[in-house]
Amino acid sequence: MKVAIITFPGSNCDYDCWHAVRLVGGEPIYVDHRATDLGRVDAVILPGGFSYGDYLRAGAIASRAPIMRAVRAFAAEGGPVLGICNGFQILCEAGFLPGALVRNRGLKFRSRWVHLRIESADPPFFRAYRPGQVVRWPIAHGEGCYVAPPEELARLEAEGRVVLRYCDPTGRRTAASNPNGSLHDIAGIRNERGNVVGMMPHPERAVETLLGSVEGLGVFASLSEATDTTMASAGGSHG
């Protein structure tokens, strides 16, 4: 599994993603935001951080970086694309995913561990989990409140495109378990095809016991399994 990790000015979780991919036996490569080609890769990760200092809006400038044209073409061919935190913001700003991430409720930066309920195991990033499973991953964001028009929220719900929700340790959705005010307690969504996923929590920071949890490793293990299956049926990498 060869995974492109896109780096922007201000990315700070690129090495964390690199390490997580290596833990599941993958081959991570860094791809600069100024590049115009991904090369032959099996998946793309847009990591967390503060691309371009979060000027204008978080992810707004990065969404127009040259490399995003190649990422768009890759996604259009069915290639798996994962956006984590700032990467989720970029995917929304670029129109890969609906809605937007705005300032947290209370206007404070939130950096802590949260509980999340896996809503769907269908996308390539969640095959190691089961629907309804509760995991514990960290968050670290100032603009993580997911919003969308009522009709778009209804569509996401009807099509089963919400993949993660904030919850308490038992899986119940409560006001206290939602750290940023996201509508419908949404922590992650996917596109219609299921190959593009954006999430605010950081699974790459929950891949070793020393870090406090290994419950995020399944995201990268799922990706490895999905790309291995795709490569076996297609006979090679995307590119």
Side-chain angles (χ1 to χ4, degrees), residues 6-75:
I6 311 301
T7 59
F8 301 93
S11 295
N12 64 13
C13 297
D14 41 350
Y15 180 75
D16 302 73
C17 290
W18 185 93
H19 181 65
V21 170
R22 287 293 299 271
L23 283 176
V24 297
E27 179 186 352
I29 61 168
Y30 291 128
V31 178
D32 188 82
H33 64 108
R34 294 164 292 190
T36 56
D37 183 67
L38 290 169
R40 293 184 62 80
V41 299
D42 304 300
V44 172
I45 296 177
L46 305 180
F50 303 90
S51 59
Y52 296 93
D54 280 350
Y55 287 109
L56 298 183
R57 292 182 309 277
I61 299 177
S63 71
R64 288 151 179 79
I67 193 57
M68 292 304 294
R69 298 188 189 95
V71 175
R72 188 179 300 277
F74 179 80

Side-chain angles (χ1 to χ4, degrees), residues 92 98-103 144-149 152-153 156 181-183 186:
C92 288
L101 285 308
V102 300
R103 291 293 295 171
C145 177
Y146 181 78
V147 297
E152 192 63 63
L153 288 169
L156 288 172
S182 288
L183 299 179
I186 289 174

Side-chain angles (χ1 to χ4, degrees), residues 140-183:
H141 55 249
E143 294 171 288
C145 177
Y146 181 78
V147 297
E151 61 273 15
E152 192 63 63
L153 288 169
R155 183 181 177 191
L156 288 172
E157 298 287 4
E159 296 178 357
R161 290 167 54 192
V162 177
V163 295
L164 284 173
R165 292 189 208 270
Y166 300 107
C167 66
D168 69 11
T170 69
R172 292 191 313 118
R173 294 162 56 189
T174 69
S177 64
N178 185 329
N180 51 38
S182 288
L183 299 179

Side-chain angles (χ1 to χ4, degrees), residues 1-4 27 29 31 37-44 70-81 124-125 127 193-196 223-239:
M1 175 182 67
K2 194 170 186 178
V3 181
E27 179 186 352
I29 61 168
V31 178
D37 183 67
L38 290 169
R40 293 184 62 80
V41 299
D42 304 300
V44 172
V71 175
R72 188 179 300 277
F74 179 80
E77 293 177 0
V81 177
F125 302 99
R127 295 185 181 189
R193 191 169 181 176
N195 64 308
V196 177
L223 177 60
S224 179
E225 178 184 345
T227 54
D228 283 349
T229 302
T230 301
M231 289 171 65
S233 60
S237 304
H238 289 83

